[in-house]
Amino acid sequence: MMIDLTLGDLLRKIKPKFLDSKFVELYKKLFTEKHNELTDIEKSFLLKNAAIFLNQIDRNIKKFGYSIILRYSNVFNNYIPLYDVSVNLGFIPIAKFIETRDDFKESFSNILMNACMEQSKNVDAENVKFLTSQQTKLKEFVGTDNNFTIVAPTSYGKSELVIDHMTSNCRNKKICIIVPTKALLAQTKNRILRDLIKKETNIKIITHPDMYINDDEFIGILTQERLLTLLTNNANFKLDEIIVDEAHNLLDNSTRSVLLAQVILLTNKRNPDTKIKYLSPFVTDINSLNIRFFNKNWQFNKISEFLKIEKYFIYSDNVLKAYDPFLNTILSEKECTGSVYDFIYENQSHKNIIYSNRPKDVESISKALKEKEACVDDIENSRAYLAIKDYLDADYNLLDCMKHGIVYHHGAMPDNIKLYVEHVYKKNNSIKHIITTSTLLEGVNIPADKIFLMDIKKGRSYLTHSNFMNLTGRVCRFKEIFNHESGSLKLLEPEIFLLKNEFMDRRANLENYIKDITRVIKENVDEVNNPLLVNSSDEKNKLDSHIEFIENIEKDTINTANLNIAYANS
């Protein structure tokens, strides 16, 4: 039975007065434009309560206390409370970033803390960065030679830690990283190449089946379709290690999800000692990813750190509402004027993601927004503009949008153009907006400070909790937050805007949606729909057809009877 408690219920168990009218009033002031009205006594009252919350066992209450400290430090430019809390919570990158501030005063206790924090230093050939306490433990966990599942938030750095370990231990191994989309092939390859170059390691990288020539060692970066082709075309092809990025995709009952499970089974048949490593931001139960017909011992590491605290806003009918997921309430309302495009223009940051559901809507939004943005100087003479112009029709809308600092990205575009758009958005400071469909949901790393959602659907369905958190997690990545030249601790409070507009279902209730999707205390259960997973309850005839497919590729992968088999490799 699910017990659905609100954070308020838990807080009242500690002390009923924590959510009395005085606290709520001061809390709302802190998180709105009225924070300057707070007196020193009121600030002290909020900080004392935050300290009590931080000392509770419940993660959600602890996170609530941290959110107050973070907000206080950012709005009053006083980072002493955040420094102390960060050290105690093991949020070492925050503490080290505060130490670089001109107003930071070193004391004897700071020197002692600094000595302890040195243990979290991570050094590579290019730079030095500090890991959180759980990132440090995760780095040790990644170094174990086991089958494992890592669950960590989007942009936490789990892929970087795994890739760093892999490139340090890739000699005499056949390793494959399975990525969910072709868009991720180039990005992942570039990240691995950078690591290999830094470590002065020369090893073959395969991104297409035709690149394999019976190699003794290699790193493969492949989709499940390309890995299947490699398996079927090469009867002796084996792997020592598989890394499955965005592994929560295994849970679905889509053709590609079933195929992902099938290629894992086939690879395991070729080499039962193959190590399998799952990476995901959203898996609740370690057993959810278990595939039928083979048993492996698994280790599970789920990150519970919460360095970033998102701020949510709803813009509808010219009213801007600030929503707080901890108290599950609207903190403030503000009248605005102008269109939704005026709102984006007035609230934009240096880099922005604008999400919509359909390619044609992306095109329409780009045309409307470019009317608000001034022309960018010299963009028409830039290498990026000229490269796209050479490939596309001169009248293509993307070119006109680039003149106004806008690019877009959707599934109807050629793959090479999508890849180049990502590159242009990352590297060109004049490009402020990328308007995209869910093509950027699957692990594509791009810099952004804010995200504007022009729709809350993916296809015909509403964005699920995992879809929503995966998408909004794309903004304010650690690399941008802790950049000593351009970073800011204010980016620890990413701003997420839900905008009611003509492209959204008229029946959509944004307030109800945001309350449900971001509710702090909510039991999230993995929906296991893939018939090849142990916890799925799919019909047997569907399961049999998937088994037949596997057995027709590799005999005796699954020991079962009464199947229609025409063995390809008999």
Side-chain angles (χ1 to χ4, degrees):
M1 182 178 70
M2 174 179 168
I3 301 174
D4 191 10
L5 292 173
T6 65
L7 184 65
D9 294 329
L10 292 176
L11 291 172
R12 289 186 186 93
K13 286 186 176 184
I14 306 171
K15 186 177 178 183
K17 290 185 178 180
F18 275 156
L19 284 186
D20 63 14
S21 58
K22 178 184 177 184
F23 176 83
V24 172
E25 177 190 350
L26 298 181
Y27 179 86
K28 285 186 175 181
K29 280 187 177 182
L30 179 64
F31 281 84
T32 62
E33 295 176 354
K34 294 184 178 181
H35 59 264
N36 287 323
E37 297 177 7
L38 290 168
T39 66
D40 289 342
I41 293 175
E42 290 171 336
K43 293 176 187 176
S44 178
F45 174 79
L46 285 169
L47 291 176
K48 286 177 181 177
N49 282 333
I52 294 172
F53 300 152
L54 282 162
N55 281 288
Q56 301 306 307
I57 296 174
D58 185 90
R59 177 181 181 274
N60 294 302
I61 298 177
K62 194 184 291 285
K63 186 176 180 180
F64 182 53
Y66 170 75
S67 74
I68 295 172
I69 298 293
L70 175 60
R71 180 65 176 171
Y72 173 90
S73 294
N74 274 333
V75 298
F76 297 116
N77 202 36
N78 176 359
Y79 288 95
I80 295 174
L82 184 60
Y83 181 83
D84 291 340
V85 167
S86 298
V87 171
N88 286 323
L89 291 177
F91 297 173
I92 307 305
I94 297 177
K96 299 302 293 185
F97 192 86
I98 293 172
E99 287 181 359
T100 64
R101 289 174 55 88
D102 293 336
D103 57 357
F104 179 77
K105 295 180 181 179
E106 191 168 63
S107 64
F108 179 69
S109 61
N110 294 147
I111 294 172
L112 288 177
M113 289 179 183
N114 222 343
C116 295
M117 288 190 286
E118 285 297 306
Q119 299 177 40
S120 299
K121 184 185 291 185
N122 191 50
V123 183
D124 61 33
E126 287 185 348
N127 53 42
V128 175
K129 68 177 181 179
F130 288 85
L131 306 178
T132 68
S133 60
Q134 289 194 26
Q135 281 179 325
T136 301
K137 291 177 182 177
L138 184 60
K139 185 179 180 181
E140 296 172 0
F141 178 82
V142 166
T144 61
D145 189 26
N146 295 305
N147 306 293
F148 61 63
T149 299
I150 293 174
V151 179
T154 302
S155 79
Y156 185 78
K158 55 188 178 296
S159 298
E160 286 82 354
L161 290 173
V162 171
I163 287 173
D164 176 61
H165 174 74
M166 178 194 67
T167 53
S168 299
N169 299 274
C170 57
R171 282 299 181 196
N172 303 313
K173 285 185 178 181
K174 304 178 183 71
I175 302 171
C176 181
I177 302 175
I178 304 178
V179 295
T181 63
K182 286 188 286 185
L184 274 173
L185 290 172
Q187 176 181 284
T188 307
K189 178 183 176 181
N190 289 336
R191 288 163 66 182
I192 291 173
L193 273 174
R194 286 196 299 269
D195 252 36
L196 292 173
I197 291 169
K198 285 187 292 184
K199 293 167 182 172
E200 298 182 350
T201 301
N202 184 23
I203 190 168
K204 185 174 182 179
I205 294 179
I206 295 170
T207 58
H208 193 278
D210 292 344
M211 298 172 70
Y212 174 72
I213 314 176
N214 206 20
D215 303 279
D216 291 327
E217 61 177 24
F218 61 84
I219 296 174
I221 308 163
L222 303 164
T223 60
Q224 50 265 53
E225 290 85 0
R226 293 187 181 189
L227 178 54
L228 177 65
T229 302
L230 253 178
L231 288 163
T232 53
N233 290 349
N234 302 274
N236 296 318
F237 178 82
K238 296 180 181 180
L239 289 168
D240 299 304
E241 189 173 303
I242 299 175
I243 300 166
V244 184
D245 199 12
E246 306 289 329
H248 53 275
N249 287 329
L250 262 174
L251 303 175
D252 298 335
N253 190 17
S254 68
T255 302
R256 299 194 74 235
S257 298
V258 171
L259 180 59
L260 178 55
Q262 289 169 329
V263 296
I264 292 172
L265 281 168
L266 288 166
T267 304
N268 186 71
K269 170 61 170 59
R270 297 275 179 92
N271 178 16
D273 294 325
T274 301
K275 301 300 179 185
I276 301 175
K277 305 179 188 301
Y278 291 137
L279 310 180
S280 173
F282 309 108
V283 175
T284 303
D285 184 354
I286 184 176
N287 297 313
S288 295
L289 297 175
N290 285 352
I291 301 176
R292 299 178 193 266
F293 312 115
F294 77 100
N295 295 314
K296 286 185 178 288
N297 294 320
W298 293 94
Q299 291 191 338
F300 190 65
N301 192 317
K302 186 170 184 177
I303 299 300
S304 59
E305 289 180 323
F306 39 77
L307 277 72
K308 295 194 295 185
I309 303 293
E310 290 80 6
K311 293 162 65 178
Y312 299 103
F313 300 91
I314 300 166
Y315 182 69
S316 178
D317 299 323
N318 296 110
V319 176
L320 178 65
K321 298 178 181 180
Y323 169 72
D324 180 70
F326 292 104
L327 298 187
N328 190 29
T329 188
I330 298 297
L331 295 176
S332 65
E333 295 188 17
K334 178 183 177 182
E335 294 283 341
C336 300
T337 57
S339 69
V340 67
Y341 304 104
D342 292 318
F343 180 85
I344 294 173
Y345 176 75
E346 292 165 5
N347 291 276
Q348 65 183 311
S349 186
H350 173 61
K351 289 286 186 179
N352 310 273
I353 296 174
I354 301 173
Y355 171 81
S356 193
N357 185 28
R358 299 180 300 178
K360 69 175 185 178
D361 296 343
V362 166
E363 298 271 356
S364 298
I365 292 166
S366 67
K367 291 175 182 177
L369 187 60
K370 75 182 179 185
E371 299 300 322
K372 302 294 178 184
E373 296 286 350
C375 284
V376 177
D377 293 338
D378 296 329
I379 193 70
E380 291 184 74
N381 297 319
S382 70
R383 182 180 177 184
Y385 182 91
L386 295 173
I388 294 177
K389 185 178 179 181
D390 284 344
Y391 187 84
L392 299 172
D393 187 290
D395 294 327
Y396 193 60
N397 181 48
L398 178 61
L399 292 168
D400 200 25
C401 287
M402 286 180 67
K403 297 177 188 177
H404 298 267
I406 300 166
V407 292
Y408 54 81
H409 187 289
H410 57 70
M413 299 169 66
D415 286 338
N416 52 350
I417 293 297
K418 284 190 290 185
L419 288 170
Y420 198 62
V421 161
E422 293 168 23
H423 172 78
V424 169
Y425 175 77
K426 289 178 189 177
K427 300 298 182 182
N428 194 320
N429 290 329
S430 298
I431 304 297
K432 295 189 292 184
H433 302 285
I434 184 166
I435 308 170
T436 178
T437 59
S438 59
T439 53
L440 282 183
L441 268 175
E442 299 289 4
V444 177
N445 298 332
I446 57 173
D449 300 339
K450 294 183 179 182
I451 184 168
F452 300 86
L453 278 75
M454 299 286 278
D455 207 338
I456 52 174
K457 283 188 173 183
K458 179 188 176 188
R460 296 184 178 182
S461 304
Y462 285 105
L463 289 164
T464 63
H465 173 80
S466 58
N467 290 154
F468 182 85
M469 301 310 290
N470 204 8
L471 180 60
T472 57
R474 301 280 156 215
V475 296
C476 299
R477 305 182 72 90
F478 287 176
K479 185 177 181 179
E480 281 81 52
I481 295 171
F482 301 118
N483 184 310
H484 289 297
E485 294 180 1
S486 59
S488 168
L489 294 176
K490 289 181 170 58
L491 296 179
L492 289 169
E493 298 182 276
E495 294 184 348
I496 317 297
F497 295 90
L498 280 68
L499 313 178
K500 196 67 178 285
N501 62 91
E502 68 267 33
F503 304 110
M504 188 178 289
D505 189 335
R506 287 178 296 176
R507 298 165 296 178
N509 186 315
L510 294 182
E511 193 168 326
N512 287 345
Y513 176 79
I514 196 69
K515 285 182 177 180
D516 180 66
I517 212 73
T518 64
R519 197 158 31 135
V520 172
I521 302 210
K522 183 178 181 179
E523 185 176 340
N524 294 309
V525 179
D526 298 325
E527 294 184 16
V528 184
N529 298 314
N530 188 334
L532 284 172
L533 300 187
V534 172
N535 289 347
S536 173
S537 57
D538 206 280
E539 298 173 17
K540 186 178 184 303
N541 63 326
K542 292 183 181 179
L543 178 60
D544 285 351
S545 66
H546 299 317
I547 296 172
E548 288 171 2
F549 176 85
I550 298 170
E551 282 292 301
N552 275 287
I553 294 174
E554 186 81 21
K555 184 179 180 180
D556 296 329
T557 299
I558 299 164
N559 295 319
T560 187
N562 302 320
L563 296 176
N564 297 317
I565 307 297
Y567 290 119
N569 297 325
S570 58

